[in-house]
Amino acid sequence: MSPDDEERDDAFHPLGEEWQDGLEEALEETEYDSELGMEMARDAMRVTEGDLSEEAFYDRYHEDVVEEFGEDDRPMGEDIEADGANGRLEGTLSRFGLDGESRRDVMKKMGGAGAVGLGAWGTTTGGGGGSEGSLAQESEEHDDGDESGTQWGMALDLEHCDGCLSCVVACAEEHDWDQGANWMYILDFEDDTPGEANNRLIRPCQHCSDAPCEKVCPTTARHTRASDGLVLTDYDVCIGCRYCQVACPYGVNYFQWEEPEVDADELDEDHVYDERGRPVGSRGPRGVMEKCTFCATRQDGSKGEELVGSTACEDACPPEVIQFGNMNNPNSDPQRYIDNTAKSRTLVRTAGNVPSPEDVEESLQGEDEDLDAVVGAVEDLDEETIALLKAIDILSEDDQLESEENSTLVEQETTAIELVEILEDHGLDLEDEEVLVELELAEEPGEDEEFEGPSENLAQERLDAFAGATESTFKLLDNIGTDPNVVYLGNEPGPDAEQVPGPVSYEDVGQTNNRKTVLEDGTVKFDGLSL
C-alpha cells in the first residue's frame, strides 16, 4: 500500500471505534486485503468531506486495487482519465496557436479527447479507455440533469412514527431478505439534551448523492443509477470484498453469509432485474453485499405503473410518516411534507376519516345550506373538519396539484378541495364573513373596517394547532458531505442519546434483530453512532 504520510486518528468511522473495529475484524475474515479496505474507506469519507480530491483518491489506490483485484473499475477513474486526456488535447491545440475559445470549439466539435485516437495528436492515454454506456458516463448524464432529473428520496416524520415496525415487516416481505438483515431499521432512544424529548430514528439506506461506498468498490457492483440517483448493488458483479460496508457512514450494508432462506427460483425476475437488466433487487445471493434499494424495480414500473414513486415501507406505514418521491420535484410527497408539515399531516390524519365526495353529495340532497344543517346531515363531517378542509383549500395553489409521479398527498389534497367545492355548490358559503369567523379562518373586522376575506395566516395556524408543525429537520451525518437523500422531521439525536427498547420488539412481528449485541451496548450519537 501507499497511503500518504499524514498522521491520522485511528478512529475515523462516524459510527464509532467499536463499530469500526467490528468492520475490520469482518474484513479480516475475507480473502481480500483488510488494511487496504480500511484505508480506502477512510479516504473515501475524506473525499466526501472535501479533504481529498477524487483524482488524488483514485491515484493513491489505483495500483493497490489492480494488484489486489486484477482491475480498478471505480467510477471516478474514467472521468479522471478523460479529464487528463482532454487537458493534454487542449495543450496540443494551444501549441498550434488556437486561443481558448477556439480550443473549446474544436474540442466540442470533436466530442472531447475521447472521440479521437489520441495518437493522432502525438499523445497517449494512461490506459483503460471507457466503453459506450459505462457507469461513469451514466453518472455524468445524471449529473448533467441537475435539478431537472429524478432523484428518489424520503421525508421521514420521526415525531409521528409509532414504532410499530410495519415498515420492517413489509420490506422483508417485498424483498425476501434473511431474518435480521434488516434493510429498514427503527431505533428508539432517550436524549438528555436540554429541550429534547424521547424520540426514534428510522434508518433505511440514505441513497447518498455522493456515496463513499461507491468510491471504494473495485468492480462497479456498487453504483449510482443514472436515471434516478439510486445507489444499488449489481449482484452479478459484486465479489463480496465488503469494502462498501466499511465505507458506509450509516451502517446499512449486509453481507449474505450463507445460502439465502428464499431460493432463487422463488424470486420474481421482474423484481430482481431492473430496467437495464442488472440484478439489483430482492435479497442477494450468497457472498454479496445487499441493502435497501428504495424498491428500484417499482420505480422502473415492472411491478405496475401505479407503484412508481412508492416503496413497500411507505405503503405499509399506518401513520404515513414515510413519504417517498422525487426530491427534485417540489410537488412530490417528501418535498410537500417538508414544505408544509402541518398541512401534510392534516391531510394524512383526515384522509381516512372524512366521507367520500359521493357520500357527501348524497347526504346533502334536500338539506338546508347553513353550516349547522350541513354538519347535521353528513356523518363524519363536523365543524372542525370543515374548517380544516377549508384551511387546506385556502393554502392550496393550482400548480401544487401537479406531480410527475404518483403522489398520495396530491390525491388527498385534491379530495379535500373537491369536498369544499361540493359544500359550496350545495350552497354553504365558505367565503362568507360570519362563517369564516366562526371557523376561525378570518379576522372579524372592526368598526369602519372592510372584511378582508379568508386569512392564510389563520388557516396555517388552524392546521398547526391540529397536526403540529415540526420545529426541526435534519439529514443524518450531513456534515460529512455525502448529501443523503433522506430528510428527517423531528429531533436529531444528541451526542449523549442512549438507545432504549421500542414499543414493539422485532420478535413481536416475527422478525429478528441479529445486531442485538452491538445495539445493546451502543448509543445513537454522532460522535460514536451505533446503529
Side-chain angles (χ1 to χ4, degrees):
M1 289 186 59
S2 55
D4 68 359
D5 297 330
E6 294 180 41
E7 287 248 346
R8 300 199 198 124
D9 198 336
D10 285 337
F12 67 88
H13 203 287
L15 301 194
E17 189 171 358
E18 183 180 354
W19 181 274
Q20 180 177 313
D21 290 344
L23 292 173
E24 186 168 17
E25 290 174 9
L27 280 188
E28 290 171 352
E29 296 175 6
T30 72
E31 60 185 289
Y32 301 104
D33 187 337
S34 61
E35 185 180 356
L36 174 62
M38 298 300 291
E39 287 295 330
M40 287 184 69
R42 182 199 306 267
D43 280 342
M45 293 184 198
R46 292 183 65 209
V47 173
T48 63
E49 290 171 351
D51 292 337
L52 185 68
S53 71
E54 293 246 341
E55 184 174 8
F57 176 70
Y58 178 78
D59 290 343
R60 176 173 296 168
Y61 294 104
H62 177 65
E63 292 182 3
D64 294 323
V65 170
V66 171
E67 181 179 352
E68 182 67 21
F69 301 102
E71 59 182 332
D72 184 4
D73 285 337
R74 289 177 292 158
M76 78 282 288
E78 188 170 326
D79 287 339
I80 289 169
E81 294 192 3
D83 288 345
N86 282 336
R88 290 191 292 272
L89 173 57
E90 188 169 0
T92 301
L93 293 175
S94 178
R95 290 196 297 274
F96 278 97
L98 296 175
D99 61 20
E101 186 173 348
S102 300
R103 292 198 302 271
R104 286 192 294 274
D105 288 342
V106 171
M107 293 178 69
K108 183 176 181 181
K109 291 176 182 177
M110 294 172 57
V116 299
L118 291 179
W121 297 93
T123 60
T124 59
T125 67
S131 61
E132 185 177 354
S134 71
L135 285 176
Q137 288 171 321
E138 283 188 34
S139 297
E140 185 175 350
E141 289 166 8
H142 179 69
D143 291 341
D144 288 346
D146 198 22
E147 297 300 307
S148 62
T150 298
Q151 175 60 68
W152 296 118
M154 285 181 171
L156 300 176
D157 189 348
L158 302 178
E159 294 175 349
H160 283 230
C161 174
D162 60 7
C164 68
L165 303 186
S166 294
C167 58
V168 177
V169 175
C171 182
E173 292 176 349
E174 177 102 356
H175 300 288
D176 292 306
W177 39 257
D178 288 359
Q179 288 281 312
N182 301 308
W183 292 8
M184 174 69 82
Y185 220 99
I186 309 296
L187 297 155
D188 278 72
F189 63 88
E190 287 182 349
D191 200 334
D192 293 332
T193 303
E196 299 291 337
N198 291 355
N199 214 330
R200 59 178 51 94
L201 186 70
I202 308 169
R203 192 231 58 188
C205 174
Q206 307 291 297
H207 288 270
C208 306
S209 295
D210 192 13
C213 62
E214 181 188 85
K215 298 181 189 302
V216 301
C217 179
T219 67
T220 73
R222 179 60 54 82
H223 63 280
T224 300
R225 194 162 73 167
S227 61
D228 51 20
L230 294 185
V231 180
L232 303 171
T233 306
D234 186 328
Y235 296 146
D236 278 353
V237 182
C238 180
I239 58 175
C241 67
R242 302 184 67 175
Y243 284 13
C244 61
Q245 187 175 27
V246 184
C248 173
Y250 304 99
V252 301
N253 290 275
Y254 296 86
F255 185 69
Q256 184 65 48
W257 288 100
E258 304 294 339
E259 291 298 330
E261 295 168 2
V262 176
D263 293 335
D265 57 10
E266 297 179 47
L267 300 176
D268 180 0
E269 282 198 1
D270 288 339
H271 190 41
V272 173
Y273 293 89
D274 69 359
E275 59 187 356
R276 306 164 302 170
R278 303 186 72 173
V280 299
S282 297
R283 94 296 180 271
R286 181 178 181 178
V288 306
M289 298 302 300
E290 61 184 41
K291 66 170 187 66
C292 156
T293 65
F294 274 174
C295 298
T297 54
R298 283 192 180 209
Q299 314 323 325
D300 296 340
S302 62
K303 294 179 72 65
E305 289 299 319
E306 70 278 3
L307 293 182
V308 175
S310 72
T311 60
C313 57
E314 178 188 39
D315 288 350
C317 180
E320 297 185 45
V321 301
I322 299 173
Q323 299 290 335
F324 178 82
N326 180 6
M327 301 303 281
N328 289 341
N329 180 0
N331 290 331
S332 67
D333 283 347
Q335 294 293 24
R336 291 167 67 87
Y337 206 95
I338 295 165
D339 180 59
N340 193 327
T341 303
K343 185 172 81 168
S344 297
R345 285 173 174 170
T346 301
L347 288 168
V348 166
R349 288 174 59 179
T350 59
N353 298 321
V354 296
S356 69
E358 295 77 16
D359 288 344
V360 172
E361 285 183 321
E362 183 177 345
S363 299
L364 288 176
Q365 290 180 7
E367 298 293 337
D368 290 338
E369 301 169 357
D370 62 277
L371 183 59
D372 289 339
V374 169
V375 169
V378 184
E379 188 177 359
D380 296 327
L381 196 63
D382 56 21
E383 188 172 307
E384 180 185 36
T385 303
I386 293 175
L388 295 173
L389 293 174
K390 181 58 181 176
I392 291 166
D393 179 59
I394 292 169
L395 295 171
S396 180
E397 299 176 15
D398 289 341
D399 60 357
Q400 289 181 323
L401 300 180
E402 300 174 2
S403 183
E404 298 171 356
E405 63 279 332
N406 297 323
S407 172
T408 302
L409 289 176
V410 167
E411 293 172 7
Q412 291 168 344
E413 187 164 337
T414 301
T415 300
I417 295 170
E418 183 180 356
L419 288 170
V420 171
E421 291 174 350
I422 290 171
L423 296 178
E424 291 177 332
D425 289 343
H426 174 69
L428 177 61
D429 189 355
L430 290 175
E431 298 295 322
D432 177 70
E433 174 185 334
E434 184 178 339
V435 174
L436 284 171
V437 170
E438 183 175 347
L439 296 177
E440 300 177 20
L441 296 174
E443 297 281 1
E444 186 171 3
E447 273 189 59
D448 301 325
E449 290 182 347
E450 289 189 10
F451 177 61
E452 296 182 356
S455 164
E456 290 189 2
N457 288 338
L458 289 179
Q460 188 65 58
E461 288 177 12
R462 192 74 199 253
L463 300 181
D464 290 348
F466 175 75
T470 188
E471 295 183 0
S472 61
T473 62
F474 67 93
K475 293 184 177 183
L476 272 178
L477 302 175
D478 195 27
N479 61 315
I480 63 174
T482 57
D483 192 12
N485 285 294
V486 175
V487 177
Y488 292 91
L489 295 89
N491 294 327
E492 183 172 5
D496 297 316
E498 296 290 339
Q499 190 171 330
V500 296
V504 179
S505 72
Y506 280 74
E507 290 75 14
D508 290 340
V509 295
Q511 295 297 314
T512 304
N513 178 0
N514 282 352
R515 291 178 159 188
K516 192 172 182 181
T517 54
V518 175
L519 294 172
E520 282 179 340
D521 296 330
T523 64
V524 194
K525 58 187 180 181
F526 291 111
D527 183 17
L529 181 66
S530 179
L531 297 179

